[in-house]
Amino acid sequence: MDSGALDQLPQLDPQLDPQLLEALQLDGRTPFSRLARRLDVSERTVARRYQRLRSLGLRIVGQPVPDRLGLIRWLLRLRCTPDAAGTIAEALARRPDTTWVTLASGGTELYCAVNTRSADERNALLLQKLPRTPHVLSVSAHCMMRIFVGTTSTWHATRFHPAAPAVDSGAQAVPLTLDATDRVLFAELARDGRATLPELARATGRSPSSVQRHLDRLRTEGALSLSVDFDPELLGYRMATQLWLNVAPAHLRTVGETLATHPAIAFAAAITGTSNLVASGVFRTPADLYDYIDRHIGPLPGIQSIETAPTLREVKRLAPALPPG
């Protein structure tokens, strides 16, 4: 990372901290000893830098992967009167079925990710609750058909390395069955994705070896994802932006998988609606956003239109999806 961008941030080590964040993104539960070997520093140094990053807001969050647990993911786009958008966003943030809520477009538009278990839950929100909410001018709901990167519907978890396209989960159509221990583990890991085996054992009432078996099963089955949440502004990225793209169907998969390889893109998904691909990008400046659109989006095949909406405020971020039951 360019150290010049961090001149005003003396709390951070411009070389080691981004490397540590990248290593944690590869596996948020990697022991300090292994991180130390990877970064070629002492284990004490890794522990000290990790605690410093935590003091600046770093979170490792364990999250259920919605489609492996039978949940349907929706992206809501609401237009509200300027005086009410903040209040409505706060109300949505309090709902346990929302995973993130952001304000954009001059404070009159908000975006919200929702996970629903059933058609009744979906309809209660989309057909009853929101249409009857005062000062909501319009609601558009987009079903997330395929997530290319950001597999837990996370919108603003900054990425520090290029990620491979998400594995198609079509072969895993049957939701994974959870037991009481799994649900406790999800709750504990949502608070601290690096909680130790003894801590998790005490919370679940199981032995550390039993907890490890449950963790291995959840991760092997693709039901548990570990996300790194760190304020991108602390690394000099001050331009978080949503990108709404209309892509020709023949090129939708190609464009989505290409976006998934771009370090600037934290989340990309194929959705229903007029804009059939949505992405979240994090950039240093408006000029960097322009260059990204010009050099990386523009040359892609099949893109018919693009809309950008800078994020003004994150009202809720990285909340865990609710496991069934």
Side-chain angles (χ1 to χ4, degrees):
M1 174 171 292
D2 182 4
S3 60
L6 300 178
D7 288 343
Q8 304 303 317
L9 303 169
Q11 309 96 323
L12 294 178
D13 183 315
Q15 301 299 324
L16 181 57
D17 288 342
Q19 294 176 11
L20 177 56
L21 290 167
E22 177 181 339
L24 288 170
Q25 284 195 320
L26 295 174
D27 184 354
R29 291 185 60 81
T30 302
F32 285 156
S33 58
R34 194 178 307 166
L35 290 170
R37 290 194 297 271
R38 176 184 176 87
L39 302 178
D40 196 24
V41 296
S42 70
E43 186 174 344
R44 182 178 178 181
T45 296
V46 169
R48 185 175 68 251
R49 295 315 308 169
Y50 174 76
Q51 292 303 327
R52 180 57 181 163
L53 290 172
R54 286 197 66 181
S55 74
L56 295 173
L58 170 66
R59 293 190 302 154
I60 308 297
V61 182
Q63 298 180 301
V65 178
D67 59 357
R68 287 298 289 122
L69 302 178
L71 300 170
I72 304 297
R73 294 164 288 186
W74 293 85
L75 173 59
L76 308 184
R77 190 175 189 180
L78 283 70
R79 296 185 187 275
C80 312
T81 59
D83 60 323
T87 301
I88 294 170
E90 295 286 354
L92 285 169
R94 290 192 292 269
R95 293 179 59 96
D97 54 357
T98 61
T99 55
W100 50 258
V101 181
T102 64
L103 281 169
S105 299
T108 61
E109 186 167 277
L110 63 89
Y111 307 112
C112 174
V114 179
N115 296 295
T116 62
R117 297 187 182 94
S118 66
D120 288 340
E121 285 189 0
R122 176 199 65 201
N123 294 341
L125 178 63
L126 300 183
L127 300 181
Q128 300 176 30
K129 183 67 175 178
L130 288 177
R132 297 174 183 173
T133 301
H135 306 293
V136 172
L137 304 178
S138 66
V139 179
S140 58
H142 310 269
C143 182
M144 299 185 195
M145 301 181 292
R146 166 78 187 277
I147 292 182
F148 297 101
V149 67
T151 54
T152 56
S153 301
T154 299
W155 191 261
H156 288 299
T158 308
R159 292 169 58 216
F160 304 95
H161 65 91
V167 177
D168 192 336
S169 59
Q172 300 176 331
V174 178
L176 187 67
T177 301
L178 303 181
D179 61 19
T181 299
D182 295 327
R183 294 191 178 91
V184 174
L185 287 176
F186 275 125
E188 294 300 314
L189 294 172
R191 285 189 281 269
D192 181 7
R194 290 184 62 85
T196 65
L197 284 179
E199 290 170 338
L200 295 174
R202 286 193 295 272
T204 59
R206 306 295 293 269
S207 67
S209 60
S210 175
V211 167
Q212 186 63 65
R213 287 194 296 273
H214 275 77
L215 287 176
D216 291 342
R217 171 177 175 262
L218 292 173
R219 300 189 74 175
T220 300
E221 294 287 344
L224 172 64
S225 174
L226 294 168
S227 297
V228 175
D229 181 31
F230 191 68
D231 186 353
E233 289 198 10
L234 295 178
L235 293 168
Y237 294 87
R238 298 180 174 86
M239 192 73 187
T241 305
Q242 290 79 48
L243 308 172
W244 300 80
L245 288 79
N246 187 351
V247 183
H251 298 284
L252 183 58
R253 177 185 291 270
T254 299
V255 173
E257 292 180 348
T258 300
L259 292 184
T261 68
H262 295 170
I265 299 300
F267 172 82
I271 59 174
T272 58
T274 303
S275 296
N276 55 2
L277 183 64
V278 65
S280 171
V282 185
F283 309 91
R284 294 185 184 277
T285 65
D288 289 339
L289 171 59
Y290 173 83
D291 288 340
Y292 176 75
I293 294 172
D294 180 45
R295 298 178 183 180
H296 296 278
I297 297 292
L300 294 177
I303 295 182
Q304 299 169 340
S305 66
I306 179 172
E307 177 186 356
T308 57
T311 296
L312 300 183
R313 181 164 69 94
E314 295 173 304
V315 181
K316 182 179 185 178
R317 60 193 262 171
L318 270 186
L322 296 177

